[in-house]
Amino acid sequence: MGALTLFAAVLLAPGVASAEAPSRLATQITDNVQALDPDSLAEVQTSIDDLYGSSQLRLWVTYVADFDNMSAVNWAEQTYDRSDLGQRDVLLAVATVDRSYYLAVNTGLSQITSSEQDDIRVNDLEPALGEEDWSGAAIAAAGALGEAYAASGSGGSSAPLLIGVGVLAVAGGGAVVYSSRRKKARVAAEVDAVAKIDPSDPAALAAFPIDVLDTRAKEILIETDNAVRASEEELTLARGEFGDSAAAPFITAYDNAKKALASAFEIRQRLDDAIPETPDQRRAMLVEIISSCGQADRELDSRVEEFDGFRDLVMNAGPHLDELTQAVVGLTVRIPQSETVLAQLHSEFSETALKSIADNVTMAKDRMALAEENIEAGRKAAALPPGKQGPAVTAIRTAERAVDQATALLDGVDHARDDIGHAIATLPDAIADVRRDIEQARGLAEHGGAELQAAMTAAQSALKNAETAQSSDPLGSYTALAAADSELEKIVDEASAEKAAEDQLRARLDRDIAAAQAQITAAADYISTRRGGVGADARTRLSEAERHLGAARQLEPENPEEALKHAHAASQLASRASQIAQSDVQNWENRHGPRGGGFGGSSGGNVAGAVLGGILINSVLRGGFGGGGGRF
């Protein structure tokens, strides 16, 4: 390949993923560390396509964890060479763990000046990469290349490539940095998206870039501070109007919001001080600000809505109280009818069968009396001067609950005949269902924990009662049994899902352990048969892969989740060991010639193969076998 001009700079980037050896780039975007989400990937691809459409220049972008302990020149040259890149190809390599990047341009493009190199490095790439804007860096590079090409006036395919400062001319004068314009639009859109995320879901928030989280954190601090200040005024009015008892939920929400806001401001101060944080620390702190402030603000909003409802009750107390009065009148009309129905039921069923509804009419009368008392109290409170009418809210709410309960009690009497008949007919099947559910629950005890055990105990108690009282109190037995079984089924479903997830995890772990073993075996065989040409790096990763595999097998019975992590690490390390070993062998062969020749015919080839396989390694170390040359 031609010589390369390389630019490198230290970046701030999260420490994730593993190293990547130089290899042939299959596509113009290679992302082995998940630096790009699907939307960002599409944007980068569009910018690359636009660049080629306007200038026939090809930009290749690769994101790796680090440069595999190689020098910048070696990594870039090997990747460039293995990918068969030419004069019209530009390579942008970003190492997210090494915190560095490389821009490789063929030196045949003689129009690239030192000042232009500095401009694209300082003004386009570093600002984006320093803020983990991986897609923005690639888009900036494509934009700068396109603008520079257009400005150079080059038209032929052999024209040299000029890397400009990455700016777009603006009619009437001035310029706007390409990456800055694209970044602002992206950040604005993603900040809107963050604002729609449930603040109680930190994992969803953490998926966004740090610059987006930083912008949203500043916004939500202002929003929450304003909400707390406004809520203080609202709370003062609420306490004066409705009293501390009614305002208790608002007081609690306000106090919690003040604490959350103070903590968020303290975190913001730590982010802004002179002591730097790692990217992971900064992300976690920003997520905490957004999450705590978002939840506090949401709770305040719910309490404000609640007090708005209180004020609506006070302002419209008259109509509300009139509706309650009409409801009580309607219930009064129903009382004689329900008494008649209850008397008929006593003639059809035993006293014990009617036990669960025998007192319903009497209890309904009590609730109606309570409703009437509170309706009267509500009218008196509503007649007080403004600011003193708060007790009307409590009176109206109490009357509403009393009316609802009286209605349910009379409905129970009216429906009793059908309900008792249904209970008598279906109770045997319900008992059988609960027995099956209890048996199923026993098999899930280790997955359901204390909650499942409590539900099983309640279901067993209801089952025992139903078996004893199914003739004497079928309705009460059925109702209690149905309630217990409903709770047990819910928890059994949750435990079943947990068991299914664990079974799936263990099946995946079995597959991953087998895959890791296969990769380790392949790497070990390759290194063993070519050990004369394999260095320490490959051997170290193979040893670590074997250690992680051992840990996975040890943790498999008790902690499959941790075991899975070790199995993954083993696979990755074994794969890296194979890659490094293959690279080492290729370099060895470049220095000493292929095993089939280059050492004086077939005899020399046999000697070379013996050295590569480690058979004659001692004689080589003693100086009995010669060789020379460099890596390139």
Side-chain angles (χ1 to χ4, degrees):
M1 59 167 285
L4 300 177
T5 299
L6 301 169
F7 308 117
V10 176
L11 306 174
L12 297 175
V16 294
S18 58
E20 183 78 15
S23 61
R24 181 180 180 85
L25 301 179
T27 62
Q28 285 182 259
I29 303 175
T30 302
D31 181 12
N32 292 330
V33 292
Q34 290 77 52
L36 305 179
D37 60 29
D39 290 340
S40 297
L41 179 65
E43 290 179 358
V44 173
Q45 186 62 60
T46 297
S47 68
I48 289 175
D49 293 342
D50 289 345
L51 173 64
Y52 186 79
S54 64
S55 62
Q56 289 73 54
L57 300 178
R58 289 181 295 268
L59 175 62
W60 300 75
V61 184
T62 180
Y63 300 94
V64 296
D66 59 52
F67 292 115
D68 199 28
N69 296 320
M70 297 179 64
S71 69
V73 172
N74 282 347
W75 200 97
E77 283 190 342
Q78 288 189 34
T79 300
Y80 205 101
D81 186 47
R82 294 182 184 188
S83 302
D84 293 325
L85 302 187
Q87 185 173 346
R88 303 185 66 79
D89 294 302
V90 178
L91 171 65
L92 173 61
V94 179
T96 58
V97 174
D98 260 357
R99 304 175 192 176
S100 59
Y101 71 90
Y102 303 87
L103 185 66
V105 183
N106 196 293
T107 53
L109 304 171
S110 58
Q111 290 176 300
I112 303 176
T113 66
S114 296
S115 63
E116 288 164 344
Q117 295 171 13
D118 289 340
D119 280 335
I120 196 167
R121 176 172 58 83
V122 174
N123 295 327
D124 290 292
L125 288 174
E126 290 182 4
L129 295 173
E131 296 183 17
E132 297 182 327
D133 187 4
W134 312 126
S135 62
I139 293 169
L145 292 170
E147 289 298 311
Y149 184 87
S152 70
S154 300
S157 61
S158 61
L161 176 64
L162 172 66
I163 298 184
V165 298
V167 300
L168 299 176
V170 179
V176 178
V177 177
Y178 180 85
S179 61
S180 175
R181 185 183 67 177
R182 293 296 297 267
K183 179 188 172 185
K184 287 178 180 178
R186 177 189 62 80
V187 169
E190 292 192 287
V191 167
D192 289 341
V194 173
K196 298 175 183 177
I197 296 293
D198 183 350
S200 62
D201 187 356
L205 294 171
F208 286 85
I210 286 180
D211 57 344
V212 174
L213 294 176
D214 187 71
T215 302
R216 178 55 186 159
K218 291 175 181 177
E219 287 184 354
I220 203 167
L221 275 172
I222 296 172
E223 293 170 3
T224 307
D225 189 43
N226 289 339
V228 168
R229 294 176 188 277
S231 295
E232 183 177 13
E233 301 169 1
E234 291 283 339
L235 182 56
T236 300
L237 294 173
R239 297 177 77 166
E241 189 172 356
F242 305 111
D244 284 355
S245 179
F250 199 171
I251 295 172
T252 299
Y254 174 75
D255 290 342
N256 290 340
K258 282 188 66 177
K259 292 177 183 177
L261 183 62
S263 176
F265 274 127
E266 188 271 333
I267 294 172
R268 182 75 254 180
Q269 176 59 38
R270 284 194 282 130
L271 286 169
D272 294 339
D273 63 21
I275 302 174
E277 291 83 19
T278 66
D280 286 345
Q281 290 172 333
R282 189 172 184 85
R283 182 186 302 277
M285 293 164 75
L286 292 169
V287 167
E288 184 174 351
I289 290 175
I290 297 170
S291 179
S292 61
C293 285
Q295 294 182 72
D297 192 37
R298 184 169 61 184
E299 178 66 11
L300 285 175
D301 286 344
S302 70
R303 296 308 174 187
V304 168
E305 291 176 4
E306 182 179 332
F307 273 88
D308 287 343
F310 285 0
R311 292 192 179 93
D312 178 70
L313 279 179
V314 171
M315 294 174 61
N316 299 282
H320 282 298
L321 292 167
D322 290 342
E323 290 176 6
L324 289 169
T325 299
Q326 291 297 320
V328 171
V329 171
L331 290 170
T332 303
V333 172
R334 288 183 61 183
I335 290 294
Q337 299 171 351
S338 296
E339 289 175 333
T340 300
V341 171
L342 188 59
Q344 293 173 348
L345 290 172
H346 277 292
S347 67
E348 299 176 27
F349 300 99
S350 66
E351 291 292 331
T352 54
L354 298 174
K355 182 179 178 180
S356 61
I357 62 163
D359 297 328
N360 278 26
V361 174
T362 301
M363 294 172 66
K365 291 178 180 179
D366 292 340
R367 302 299 191 276
M368 290 162 58
L370 178 62
E372 289 176 331
E373 291 174 7
N374 280 275
I375 288 171
E376 181 62 25
R379 293 192 187 281
K380 290 179 179 180
L384 295 173
K388 303 292 185 180
Q389 300 168 327
V393 173
T394 301
I396 292 172
R397 294 299 193 210
T398 302
E400 288 174 342
R401 288 192 291 269
V403 167
D404 289 342
Q405 290 179 15
T407 301
L409 288 165
L410 296 183
D411 288 344
V413 173
D414 294 343
H415 302 153
R417 181 178 285 104
D418 292 339
D419 292 343
I420 292 173
H422 180 268
I424 292 172
T426 59
L427 189 54
D429 289 339
I431 289 173
D433 286 343
V434 173
R435 285 174 179 161
R436 285 192 294 269
D437 290 343
I438 291 174
E439 191 61 32
Q440 182 182 3
R442 287 195 179 100
L444 297 169
E446 64 178 299
H447 301 282
E451 190 177 13
L452 179 61
Q453 185 58 50
M456 283 178 59
T457 301
Q460 288 168 337
S461 176
L463 177 62
K464 182 178 180 180
N465 179 70
E467 290 172 336
T468 303
Q470 58 180 317
S471 297
S472 59
D473 184 16
L475 182 57
S477 299
Y478 180 85
T479 301
L481 190 64
D485 192 38
S486 176
E487 180 65 18
L488 180 61
E489 285 181 343
K490 183 185 74 172
I491 299 174
V492 163
D493 288 344
E494 294 172 356
S496 296
E498 183 178 334
K499 182 179 184 301
E502 181 174 332
D503 290 344
Q504 184 178 9
L505 175 64
R506 290 193 177 279
R508 180 183 176 190
L509 177 58
D510 289 342
R511 292 193 300 270
D512 287 359
I513 285 178
Q517 180 62 73
Q519 288 180 316
I520 287 173
T521 299
D525 289 347
Y526 186 90
I527 292 173
S528 179
T529 56
R530 298 163 179 80
R531 57 186 178 272
V534 178
D537 287 349
R539 299 165 190 259
T540 299
R541 283 162 177 76
L542 177 60
S543 176
E544 278 296 284
E546 291 170 338
R547 181 180 68 81
H548 278 286
L549 181 60
R553 285 178 168 150
Q554 184 176 4
L555 291 168
E556 182 179 6
E558 302 296 333
N559 195 340
E561 290 184 355
E562 284 300 313
L564 188 63
K565 295 178 183 178
H566 283 285
H568 286 171
S571 292
Q572 293 172 357
L573 286 164
S575 176
R576 292 291 300 116
S578 293
Q579 293 174 6
I580 296 171
Q582 291 168 16
S583 178
D584 287 347
V585 169
Q586 182 64 51
N587 291 333
W588 189 93
E589 291 179 343
N590 288 341
R591 292 194 303 270
H592 299 287
R595 292 188 298 277
F599 285 86
S602 59
S603 175
N606 291 335
V607 172
V611 173
L612 177 61
I615 298 172
L616 298 181
I617 189 65
N618 289 334
S619 65
V620 173
L621 292 175
R622 291 193 301 269
F625 186 82
R631 293 184 66 181
F632 300 101

